[in-house]
Amino acid sequence: MDRQPATTADVEVVTRGHIPAGIVDYARAKVLHVCRQTREPILHVRIKLALSADPAVERPALAQANLDVDGRLLRGDVAAPTLREAVDLLHDRLAHRLTRMALHWEARRGGTPAPGPHEWRHTTDGWHRPHYFPRPVEGRRIIRHKAYELARATPDEAIFDMEKLDYDVHLFTDERTGLDAIVYRAGPTGYRLARLRPAEQAETGVTVPLTVSDQPAPRLTIAEAIERLNLTGQPFLFYADATDGRGRLLYHRYDGHYGLVTPAG
């Protein structure tokens, strides 16, 4: 049975700032064009367009799309000098991610072999990814706190989830060790793995080329984590909570405030 692509009625568009005339229709058409390239049913599409009025922001236009692909979330998030450029970049990014997801799903079904290790490497497109606004430290606060049941996954599966969600870092529970861990974009292979405590044995059965941190995550309070994040100047901090010892992910949001990801419960 043929599967129908998403229609215009399936698309929700949210805007922020002064959006030029015609951009909403342009974004809807570009994202729907991507949706029609896949056999998987697209159940819902949410597009977010934002334009900052701050002249100090180098790439003030943000375009984001969340696709419900047969019950699985796929996300794209880009920044550019203009909204039209951002939408064009979003189109290309979503098309790339849908192709990756299709390859992975076919491999899981046993239809085709999994792509080779280097096919997993993410594209070098960091120049158009949103960067956080340099808000003064005293004006920053945690404005997004996301708590969810961490998936037990292999590093390969965690990297796939990170890619389809278009994240730079992803918090999960390592299936082999049972420890909370993160995968993120870094190192000579393009991906890096860090656990609450380093594994005693070398990695086995990992398809994606990655480097592995040999350092334990620091045990901190939230106040100490914020202080360390600001001192290091890094985009995020993975640490063990001082109270329960579970993994936490503190990160800079694009608006200069903080986001915090924690295990549910």
Side-chain angles (χ1 to χ4, degrees):
M1 181 177 65
D2 291 337
R3 288 168 171 168
Q4 298 299 316
T7 64
T8 304
D10 298 318
V11 180
E12 173 191 1
V13 182
V14 178
T15 63
R16 190 182 68 209
H18 181 69
I19 306 301
I23 287 296
V24 169
D25 289 340
Y26 182 71
R28 182 183 286 110
K30 294 289 282 188
V31 173
L32 283 173
H33 178 266
V34 175
C35 293
R36 295 186 180 104
Q37 308 309 307
T38 179
R39 292 184 177 182
E40 299 293 334
I42 309 295
L43 306 181
H44 184 73
V45 177
R46 187 176 191 271
I47 302 171
K48 180 178 179 181
L49 303 173
L51 189 61
S52 172
D54 191 332
V57 179
E58 182 180 357
R59 291 173 289 137
L62 299 176
Q64 181 188 102
N66 291 280
L67 277 57
D68 183 341
V69 187
D70 199 19
R72 292 160 291 203
L73 177 65
L74 181 140
R75 180 177 179 270
D77 192 9
V78 298
T82 69
L83 272 172
R84 193 175 185 89
E85 290 177 78
V87 170
D88 288 341
L89 288 169
L90 181 63
H91 172 279
D92 295 343
R93 194 170 190 85
L94 291 174
H96 176 71
R97 298 206 174 283
L98 278 170
T99 300
R100 285 284 186 85
M101 290 181 80
L103 287 171
H104 186 81
W105 291 335
E106 284 300 317
R108 283 190 169 186
R109 294 178 186 128
T112 59
H118 297 293
E119 293 299 315
W120 276 90
R121 293 286 297 276
H122 64 275
T123 54
T124 307
D125 53 5
W127 63 273
H128 70 252
R129 296 182 64 81
H131 296 294
Y132 69 88
F133 180 75
R135 186 180 298 277
V137 172
E138 60 273 14
R140 302 174 189 173
R141 56 191 176 89
I142 296 175
I143 65 171
R144 178 168 174 77
H145 181 188
K146 181 178 180 180
Y148 65 96
E149 189 68 31
L150 300 188
R152 292 185 70 90
T154 66
D156 282 355
E157 292 168 335
I159 288 172
F160 172 70
D161 288 339
M162 181 178 73
E163 285 287 349
K164 75 177 182 180
L165 294 171
D166 201 19
Y167 292 159
D168 288 322
V169 57
H170 180 55
L171 178 66
F172 70 106
T173 299
D174 181 53
E175 186 173 67
R176 181 164 72 89
T177 64
L179 298 173
D180 294 336
I182 60 168
V183 287
Y184 58 104
R185 305 176 193 275
T189 64
Y191 297 112
R192 189 166 176 82
L193 167 70
R195 297 185 178 94
L196 287 178
R197 298 186 302 278
E200 297 180 357
Q201 299 177 343
E203 301 301 316
T204 58
V206 178
T207 302
V208 182
L210 53 76
T211 55
V212 182
S213 173
D214 60 0
Q215 297 298 315
R219 194 167 182 124
L220 305 168
T221 65
I222 184 60
E224 292 169 337
I226 289 174
E227 181 180 10
R228 181 172 295 204
L229 180 66
N230 291 327
L231 286 173
T232 62
Q234 296 298 312
F236 62 84
L237 175 69
F238 173 56
Y239 69 99
D241 182 72
T243 302
D244 62 17
R246 294 294 305 274
R248 301 286 193 273
L249 180 62
L250 180 70
Y251 63 93
H252 286 289
R253 288 169 45 88
Y254 69 90
D255 58 7
H257 289 296
Y258 307 114
L260 180 65
V261 182
T262 65

